[in-house]
């Protein structure tokens, strides 16, 4: 991804966004709809996992629902050390 960005190619930003979404969906075991409905405010700290910083937990607001019931909410803990770096890198590019 960085190689494509360094060459100044058109379309690197959407490709970077998609790569980040795939990594987050894989890291937290999210379904398609759960991934689609994510927001930055869904990430939070985990007091037991301080090494993950602001990305220690993920609140899934629109989880899988049973037939005829509203979406189920759940919290997913961060398990891999590479996961927070993915979100921090994406956030830095958005802010820049």
């Amino acid at each position: 991804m960085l190689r494509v960005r360094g060459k100044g190619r058109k379309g690197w930003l959407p490709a970077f966004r998609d790569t980040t979404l795939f990594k987050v969906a894989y890291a937290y075991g999210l379904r398609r709809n759960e991934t689609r409905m994510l927001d930055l405010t869904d990430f939070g700290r985990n007091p037991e996992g301080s090494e993950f910083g602001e990305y220690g937990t993920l609140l899934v607001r629109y989880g899988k629902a049973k037939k005829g019931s509203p979406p189920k909410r759940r919290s997913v803990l961060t398990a891999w050390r590479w996961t927070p770096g993915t979100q921090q890198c994406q956030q830095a590019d958005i802010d820049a």
Side-chain angles (χ1 to χ4, degrees):
M1 192 54 49
L2 296 175
R3 187 175 35 148
V4 174
R5 181 182 181 188
K7 290 181 180 180
R9 287 209 158 145
K10 181 179 176 183
W12 74 268
L13 192 58
F16 184 63
R17 177 202 61 213
D18 294 347
T19 302
T20 302
L21 276 175
F22 284 128
K23 288 179 181 179
V24 168
Y26 175 76
Y28 291 102
L30 301 178
R31 297 174 179 92
R32 278 184 297 182
N33 191 47
E34 294 171 347
T35 304
R36 183 176 66 94
M37 301 300 284
L38 277 182
D39 196 10
L40 281 176
T41 59
D42 295 335
F43 293 98
R45 290 187 172 275
N46 178 4
E48 299 296 323
S50 59
E51 67 269 18
F52 299 121
E54 293 292 325
Y55 302 101
T57 61
L58 173 67
L59 176 65
V60 178
R61 293 176 292 145
Y62 297 95
K64 186 176 179 181
K66 292 183 180 179
K67 191 173 185 177
S69 64
K72 190 174 182 181
R73 299 180 91 160
R74 63 186 172 108
S75 291
V76 184
L77 299 176
T78 303
W80 290 299
R81 294 191 187 273
W82 55 264
T83 307
T86 302
Q87 285 102 332
Q88 289 167 349
C89 189
Q90 173 72 16
Q91 188 61 33
D93 272 359
I94 289 172
D95 292 341

